[in-house]
């Protein structure tokens, strides 16, 4: 048994603190060491005991969460997961939190919805355990245990959404589709990558693990920063050169082909590799629909979502790259994809855009 991930909960709602405590206590790899109703109370607790991870509310009395986050990152960096209500305004604020140093984002659990709470609780626990392994700018992670990113719930594969590829490699066409998967640390890594691409870059589809509604704000932010056009995907959207489609939170996104044209299918379905959207689902759909016309990119993130799908892409002739350990906030997903043999090249974050453009030029 490895060391438990020790968590401090900061939220002004007593019911939310209680619900999060119950969720964390249901996971044998997590221990709640305390809860605070505002940042001032939290600061006093931090003087007594330093947790591995903090869950932090955005809007609180006396000091808002982002101000506290900035002070914490400047003085004593600890992995922080922001906890927010499901609102468009909240989503925009959470983008500021990620820029300020937050590792990831969770939605506040819906109190009283037992069926929803089980799935939400699993997602929350996965995010917190991933955060415990995050590399922060000014420090290495303090958590040194081996708490698993898995839990007791059944872990479904992409078989739950679509069948495996046939194994027949598709002939190359003139257009390449880039399929990208990322999780913990991926929001800022994706910004770095997409900002380096020109307006005529090949069409790109992205699965980034994040809550619903948050993906729309994330896409708008990237669109304002990048030469490529970025939007949250809608069912039936075409995959076009110079455009990036972000899978909507809580929906799977699949790549499909009609003739020489590609589009995306956005659909509901069970959690795959404990995620929705799932990188494995996107990558498998690329193996089925694009074959050697696809390029796979797997980036920072905890767990193994995308590793199987990338292997399937590799088997049908796709060219795949993985972000290297040194530039990853969490090296879990790239490491698993490399171990399965589906990766052709491992490169730092700042070289991924160059690899995409080079692969496009070779066609």
């Amino acid at each position: 048994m490895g060391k438990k991930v020790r968590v401090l909960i900061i939220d002004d709602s007593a019911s939310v603190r209680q619900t999060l405590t119950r969720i964390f206590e249901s996971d044998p790899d997590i221990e709640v060491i305390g809860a605070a109703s505002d940042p001032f109370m939290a600061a006093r607790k931090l003087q007594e005991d330093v947790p591995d991870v903090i869950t932090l509310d955005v809007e609180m009395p006396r000091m808002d969460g982002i101000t506290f986050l900035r002070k914490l990152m400047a003085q004593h960096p600890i992995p922080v997961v922001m906890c927010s209500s499901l609102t468009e305004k909240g989503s925009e604020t959470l983008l500021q939190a990620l820029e300020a140093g937050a590792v990831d984002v969770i939605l506040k659990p819906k109190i009283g919805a037992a069926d929803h709470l089980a799935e939400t609780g699993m997602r929350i626990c996965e995010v917190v355990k991933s955060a415990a392994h995050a590399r922060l700018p000014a420090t290495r992670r303090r958590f040194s245990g081996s708490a698993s990113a898995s839990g007791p719930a059944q872990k479904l594969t992409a078989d739950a959404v679509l069948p495996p590829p046939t194994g027949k490699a598709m002939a190359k066409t003139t257009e390449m589709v880039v399929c990208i998967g990322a999780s913990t640390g991926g929001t800022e890594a994706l910004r770095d990558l997409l900002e380096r691409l020109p307006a005529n870059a090949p069409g790109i589809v992205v699965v980034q693990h994040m809550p619903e509604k948050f993906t729309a704000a994330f896409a708008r932010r990237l669109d304002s920063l990048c030469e490529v056009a970025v939007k949250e995907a809608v069912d039936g959207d075409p995959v076009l050169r110079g455009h990036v489609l972000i899978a909507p939170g809580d929906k799977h996104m699949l790549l499909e082909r009609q003739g020489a044209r590609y589009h995306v299918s956005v659909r509901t379905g069970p959690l795959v590799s404990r995620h929705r959207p799932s990188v494995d689902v996107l990558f498998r759909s690329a193996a089925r629909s694009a074959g050697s016309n696809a390029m796979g990119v797997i980036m920072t993130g905890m767990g193994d979502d995308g590793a199987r799908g990338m292997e399937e892409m590799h088997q049908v002739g796709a060219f795949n790259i993985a972000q290297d350990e040194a530039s990853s906030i969490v090296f879990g997903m790239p490491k698993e994809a490399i171990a399965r043999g589906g990766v052709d090249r491992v490169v730092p974050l700042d070289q991924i855009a160059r690899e995409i453009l080079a692969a496009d030029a070779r066609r």
Side-chain angles (χ1 to χ4, degrees):
M1 293 295 292
K3 179 183 173 185
K4 291 186 177 183
V5 178
R6 304 167 72 253
V7 181
L8 172 65
I9 300 167
I10 308 175
D11 198 294
D12 65 331
S13 167
S15 59
V16 171
R17 294 196 302 271
Q18 292 169 1
T19 302
L20 285 174
T21 298
R22 287 198 301 271
I23 288 173
F24 292 140
E25 287 179 344
S26 70
D27 191 304
D29 291 332
I30 299 177
E31 175 188 1
V32 177
I33 65 165
S37 59
D38 63 54
F40 289 93
M41 182 183 295
R44 290 194 294 271
K45 288 183 176 292
L46 287 171
Q47 291 176 350
E48 302 169 359
D49 196 0
V50 179
D52 297 309
V53 179
I54 291 173
T55 64
L56 179 63
D57 189 14
V58 177
E59 297 181 3
M60 290 178 290
R62 297 206 286 172
M63 182 186 293
D64 67 273
I66 293 181
T67 299
F68 177 72
L69 173 66
R70 290 187 174 123
K71 291 178 179 294
L72 184 70
M73 290 297 114
Q75 299 173 18
H76 195 149
I78 297 171
V80 172
V81 174
M82 302 303 294
C83 184
S84 175
S85 300
L86 184 61
T87 65
E88 292 287 355
K89 180 180 178 182
S91 297
E92 297 288 352
T93 304
L94 288 172
L95 293 175
Q96 299 176 27
L98 290 167
E99 291 175 344
V103 174
D104 213 329
V105 175
I106 56 175
L107 294 178
K108 288 190 177 183
K110 294 180 181 178
I111 301 166
D115 55 342
H116 176 83
L117 193 59
E119 187 174 284
T120 302
M122 182 170 61
R123 161 68 178 160
I124 289 172
C125 289
E126 293 291 312
V127 170
V128 165
K129 287 187 286 188
S130 297
H133 292 78
R135 298 166 181 247
L136 299 183
T139 183
R140 294 279 183 168
R141 62 179 176 86
R142 290 165 183 76
F143 172 66
S144 59
S146 57
S148 169
S150 62
Q154 181 184 10
K155 186 174 181 180
L156 300 179
T157 70
D159 291 343
V161 178
L162 74 167
T166 61
K168 297 178 181 178
M170 191 175 297
K172 288 191 176 182
T173 63
T174 56
E175 289 299 322
M176 180 179 77
V177 180
V178 181
C179 303
I180 301 176
S183 188
T184 310
T187 50
E188 290 304 292
L190 282 167
R191 177 193 57 77
D192 184 284
L193 163 59
L194 296 180
E195 280 185 328
R196 297 173 187 271
L197 292 174
N200 66 340
I204 297 174
V205 288
V206 177
V207 164
Q208 162 70 50
H209 297 155
M210 59 177 63
E212 55 184 310
K213 290 193 180 293
F214 183 68
T215 42
F218 178 55
R220 287 194 298 270
R221 176 202 179 211
L222 291 177
D223 187 60
S224 70
L225 297 172
C226 304
E227 291 186 35
V228 289
V230 186
K231 71 183 290 286
E232 183 185 57
V234 175
D235 187 52
D237 272 345
V239 179
L240 303 172
R241 183 169 284 273
H243 289 70
V244 179
L245 298 175
I246 307 287
D250 204 37
K251 295 286 197 309
H252 290 304
M253 183 173 71
L254 289 72
L255 182 68
E256 296 184 345
R257 179 172 178 163
Q258 288 182 333
R261 299 292 183 111
Y262 295 98
H263 66 273
V264 295
S265 171
V266 174
R267 63 179 76 170
T268 59
L271 298 179
V272 171
S273 298
R274 297 199 173 91
H275 293 285
R276 187 177 53 238
S278 164
V279 183
D280 268 328
V281 169
L282 174 63
F283 283 1
R284 171 172 287 188
S285 70
R288 287 175 53 85
S289 299
S292 59
N293 297 304
M295 177 178 182
V297 179
I298 194 156
M299 300 175 67
T300 175
M302 186 69 183
D304 63 357
D305 188 27
R308 294 175 183 82
M310 180 158 274
E311 181 184 18
E312 292 171 349
M313 290 179 68
H314 181 78
Q315 289 170 349
V316 294
F319 177 70
N320 297 329
I321 63 174
Q323 184 178 350
D324 73 353
E325 182 174 9
S327 65
S328 295
I329 297 295
V330 180
F331 191 52
M333 285 165 50
K335 181 180 180 180
E336 292 297 327
I338 294 166
R340 291 186 72 97
V343 175
D344 295 289
R345 192 166 298 168
V346 181
V347 299
L349 173 61
D350 60 7
Q351 293 182 25
I352 295 177
R354 185 171 65 185
E355 291 287 340
I356 290 172
L357 298 177
D360 188 42
R362 291 195 295 267
R363 299 184 61 79

